[in-house]
Amino acid sequence: MADTEENKLDKKASSSNDVDDDDRRSRSRKDQREKGKRRSKSSRSQRKDSKSKSSSRRRDRNRDRDRKKRRRYSSSEDDSSSDSDSDSDSSSSDDTSSSSEEERRRRKRRSKTKKDKKSSSSKSKGATNATKSTKKVVNQRLLEKLASRNETLEEREERRSARRAAKLTAQFGYTSQENPFNDPNLAETFTWKKKDEVDASASASTS
């Protein structure tokens, strides 16, 4: 009898231990689930925060752009209105009129300096182009070489054009008479005559 009672007690203790273990496991599972939910909630909130921050930054940028555009537009309108209504706005404050006049002066100075720079650069370009088109630079070494060969500049040019024509026929099968471009001067060096004429006229007009 004593053995059976002991066995019963042992069984009760083991079953209670099993129940405790099950309770612990279920609690730990619940805790893990809650932790996972909290993490997911926190990550969602972080994402929302980052999205809201980025959207707020975009809005701020757009607002800044709009403000700048408005300022530019309003300043240009103010300038035009002040120019047209200068007689009617004579009673306005001296500070605003002086500041607008200073801004106008600055703008005029900037535009003048830009124009001066452009005109000086165009003059220098025109002068160099004019000198190139009017003067043909003759190399002294070249003249000495030609004199030693008993050859003139024209003869040298003819010899070189013949060499170019031979090279073209060897490479592509073109001649100055028969080519797909119908160009009789195919072997000669190209000169942009229109450009030279425009440069010469521009230099003549500036000087």
Side-chain angles (χ1 to χ4, degrees):
M1 292 288 288
D3 291 336
T4 56
E5 285 178 5
E6 283 178 6
N7 288 333
K8 285 178 182 178
L9 290 170
D10 289 337
K11 284 178 183 178
K12 282 181 183 178
S14 63
S15 64
S16 65
N17 286 336
D18 290 340
V19 169
D20 290 340
D21 290 339
D22 290 339
D23 289 339
R24 285 173 193 158
R25 285 174 193 159
S26 63
R27 284 175 191 165
S28 64
R29 285 173 191 162
K30 284 180 183 177
D31 292 339
Q32 286 175 356
R33 285 175 194 160
E34 287 176 359
K35 285 179 183 177
K37 286 178 183 178
R38 287 173 194 160
R39 285 174 189 165
S40 64
K41 283 180 182 177
S42 63
S43 63
R44 285 175 196 161
S45 63
Q46 286 175 356
R47 285 175 197 160
K48 285 180 183 177
D49 291 339
S50 63
K51 285 179 182 177
S52 63
K53 284 178 183 176
S54 62
S55 62
S56 64
R57 285 174 190 162
R58 286 174 194 156
R59 286 177 202 149
D60 292 339
R61 287 174 193 160
N62 292 333
R63 283 176 195 160
D64 291 338
R65 287 175 193 161
D66 292 338
R67 285 175 189 163
K68 286 178 183 176
K69 286 178 183 176
R70 286 176 196 153
R71 285 176 192 163
R72 288 175 191 163
Y73 186 68
S74 63
S75 64
S76 62
E77 278 186 349
D78 290 341
D79 291 341
S80 62
S81 63
S82 64
D83 289 339
S84 62
D85 302 332
S86 60
D87 296 333
S88 62
D89 293 337
S90 59
S91 62
S92 62
S93 63
D94 294 334
D95 296 335
T96 56
S97 62
S98 63
S99 64
S100 63
E101 286 174 8
E102 287 175 2
E103 287 176 6
R104 277 185 233 138
R105 288 173 190 162
R106 286 176 192 161
R107 286 176 190 157
K108 285 180 182 177
R109 285 175 197 156
R110 287 175 191 163
S111 63
K112 281 181 183 177
T113 53
K114 285 179 184 176
K115 286 177 184 176
D116 292 339
K117 285 179 183 177
K118 286 180 182 176
S119 62
S120 62
S121 63
S122 63
K123 282 179 184 177
S124 62
K125 285 179 184 176
T128 53
N129 291 332
T131 53
K132 283 179 184 176
S133 61
T134 55
K135 287 184 181 179
K136 226 177 185 182
V137 179
V138 180
N139 193 353
Q140 292 296 325
R141 280 188 185 178
L142 177 66
L143 291 174
E144 290 171 4
K145 218 183 241 186
L146 291 172
S148 65
R149 290 180 186 168
N150 293 327
E151 192 178 29
T152 62
L153 281 168
E154 290 80 14
E155 290 171 354
R156 176 177 178 268
E157 193 61 40
E158 287 174 9
R159 179 172 52 83
R160 293 185 85 186
S161 64
R163 192 195 299 167
R164 279 191 221 103
K167 202 182 261 188
L168 276 171
T169 53
Q171 216 169 8
F172 303 108
Y174 297 157
T175 61
S176 56
Q177 287 81 24
E178 295 179 11
N179 58 61
F181 315 109
N182 297 323
D183 187 9
N185 304 322
L186 191 67
E188 295 176 10
T189 53
F190 175 74
T191 54
W192 196 350
K193 293 176 184 174
K194 281 267 186 181
K195 184 176 180 291
D196 294 339
E197 289 171 6
V198 169
D199 293 339
S201 64
S203 64
S205 65
T206 53
S207 63

